[in-house]
Amino acid sequence: MKALALVEAPDHVCCRYRVRAFEPTLAASGWTLTVQGLAQGPAGRWAQLRRAGEFDAVVLQRKLLPAWQLHTLRRATRRLIFDYDDAVLYRDSYDPRGPHCPRRASRFARTVRLADVVLAGNGFLADCARKAGARAERVRVLPTCVDPELYRPKGEPTTKGPVQLVWIGSSSTLQGLERQRPLLERLGLEVPGLQLRLICDRFPRFDPLPVLSIPWSEPGEADAIAGGDLGITWVPDDLWSRGKCGLKVLQYQAAGLPVVANPVGVHPLLVQHGVNGLLADTPDEWVRAIQALTVDPSLRSRLGREARTSVEVHYSVATWAPAFVAALTGASPPTAPKTSSRNKTLARTNGTQ
């Protein structure tokens, strides 16, 4: 059996974590996977979509095609799966025009109605699909996952040396961190010895908080994260951010780092306050959380161990690979993990409770 994934680019982060990560399990199930970036230009795109009929299942990832392209793909495809891990029906948090876009919303509705299966990265995205007219039984939640085996857990922390905050992302998501410049500058003033380990392709300054510039690379990202002491993430409270799937948090947790995050979107689902990390909303809460983790290595160690366990049990590739395979093959979705109350939302929206 043959599957095709039509993606933005084969090396795009969404493809790596939501398609290619499951390739070994697909192969073990007797499937081959071909990953193609969507062709540019009408003629090339039309030919590519027509050739989709050579495959038993097609995953269209994130892209909202014009009507003629989507209908061409639908006619050619025996089984169409739409996968998305962002609120693609809205504009992003930093677009000055605001979140609502009628063209995006129309294309999104058309896509989720025509797909045989809709794989949404979280419950909010699943609700978006249902509200847009997707049949409820076709909508499944498949959270973004990581492979914990690729991450070297953080060793036992000590009181020696500076404590490094870790932030990983791209230039686009770095805008969120830059919105918190006053907070980072305050942390640099009020938390002695604190540093920011920035894993990115752009490196702004946040004086007086020292920045360690770590150029991102796919082979080196796991070790770069594990070299820090605690992970941080902040997103604005808006429609786009509620569709985010928390990859940063999962990467930090896989490396055995405690996480400090603001309570927006999936953050409260991934971070249990006082168990595997800390949730902080106001600047004062952020300062207290960072101070507590900075002065108490045993607290960092305890939360970090729980964070690693959380990923292994709830958000590992191995845990969710059967659900991805079922979506492609047409099998009934397997039961979602049921190991803590914070996963009830996942289970409900996956149709398994």
Side-chain angles (χ1 to χ4, degrees):
M1 304 290 282
K2 300 188 299 181
L4 170 67
L6 295 174
V7 301
E8 184 174 336
D11 60 349
H12 191 277
V13 61
C14 299
C15 178
R16 289 195 292 119
Y17 281 93
R18 294 187 61 83
V19 176
R20 285 168 43 198
F22 301 116
E23 189 169 4
T25 305
L26 276 174
S29 302
W31 284 68
T32 61
L33 175 66
T34 299
V35 178
Q36 295 178 359
L38 279 160
Q40 300 299 311
R45 181 73 59 83
W46 181 82
Q48 182 184 49
L49 299 177
R50 289 289 303 274
R51 290 195 299 270
E54 301 170 6
F55 296 84
D56 299 286
V58 175
V59 178
L60 175 64
Q61 188 174 65
R62 292 166 51 93
K63 188 70 173 179
L64 301 179
L65 300 175
W68 72 268
Q69 294 182 16
L70 180 63
H71 286 294
T72 298
L73 178 62
R74 177 67 276 187
R75 286 193 295 268
T77 305
R78 304 173 202 175
R79 184 170 180 80
L80 178 62
I81 298 95
F82 180 61
D83 174 75
Y84 62 117
D85 61 347
D86 273 321
V88 293
L89 66 163
Y90 300 114
R91 298 189 183 101
D92 70 41
S93 303
Y94 312 108
D95 194 310
R97 295 170 294 177
H100 296 286
C101 176
R103 188 183 72 167
R104 285 181 181 231
S106 175
R107 288 186 178 186
F108 176 78
R110 187 182 302 116
T111 301
V112 298
R113 290 169 184 167
L114 288 178
D116 295 296
V117 176
V118 176
L119 291 180
N122 61 39
F124 172 81
L125 296 177
D127 286 342
C128 289
R130 297 188 193 95
K131 291 175 182 177
R135 290 168 56 179
E137 68 272 15
R138 294 185 177 184
V139 180
R140 307 179 187 179
V141 169
L142 180 76
T144 297
C145 305
V146 297
D147 183 354
E149 296 302 316
L150 300 179
Y151 291 79
R152 173 176 53 87
K154 179 72 177 178
E156 287 299 315
T158 69
T159 57
K160 298 178 180 179
V163 171
Q164 294 184 5
L165 309 177
V166 180
W167 187 93
I168 186 170
S170 63
S171 292
S172 59
T173 55
L174 187 60
Q175 296 176 79
L177 194 67
E178 290 177 306
R179 284 191 176 188
Q180 294 303 299
R181 179 177 295 279
L183 172 59
L184 294 172
E185 292 173 350
R186 179 179 169 184
L187 289 171
L189 285 172
E190 298 188 22
V191 185
L194 192 66
Q195 298 178 348
L196 174 61
R197 187 178 183 88
L198 193 57
I199 307 166
C200 193
D201 56 352
R202 184 166 63 84
F203 304 98
R205 298 179 62 173
F206 297 101
D207 296 336
L209 179 64
V211 173
L212 281 70
S213 302
I214 313 292
W216 178 87
S217 71
E218 181 179 347
E221 66 176 353
D223 285 341
I225 291 170
D229 296 289
L230 59 111
I232 61 170
T233 184
W234 181 93
V235 295
D237 188 0
D238 58 23
L239 291 169
W240 178 262
S241 296
R242 290 170 208 158
K244 304 298 285 185
C245 294
L247 176 58
K248 289 180 179 60
V249 174
L250 296 173
Q251 289 181 288
Y252 302 149
Q253 292 179 331
L257 302 185
V259 179
V260 181
N262 64 327
V264 171
V266 298
H267 287 172
L269 188 67
L270 303 179
V271 179
Q272 289 181 290
H273 185 74
V275 177
N276 61 6
L278 299 174
L279 294 170
D281 195 5
T282 68
D284 285 346
E285 289 174 350
W286 269 86
V287 171
R288 287 195 294 269
I290 299 299
Q291 286 175 332
L293 289 167
T294 299
V295 301
D296 191 345
S298 65
L299 178 61
R300 296 203 303 272
S301 179
R302 176 173 63 82
L303 299 186
R305 287 195 301 270
E306 289 294 328
R308 170 81 178 193
T309 299
S310 172
V311 168
E312 291 173 339
V313 174
H314 303 299
Y315 298 102
S316 70
V317 170
T319 296
W320 286 94
F324 183 83
V325 173
L328 263 68
T329 62
S332 298
T335 301
K338 300 180 187 178
T339 50
S340 77
S341 60
R342 65 198 170 93
N343 282 285
K344 288 181 180 178
T345 299
L346 279 176
R348 283 197 302 270
T349 52
N350 205 25
T352 56
Q353 273 193 344

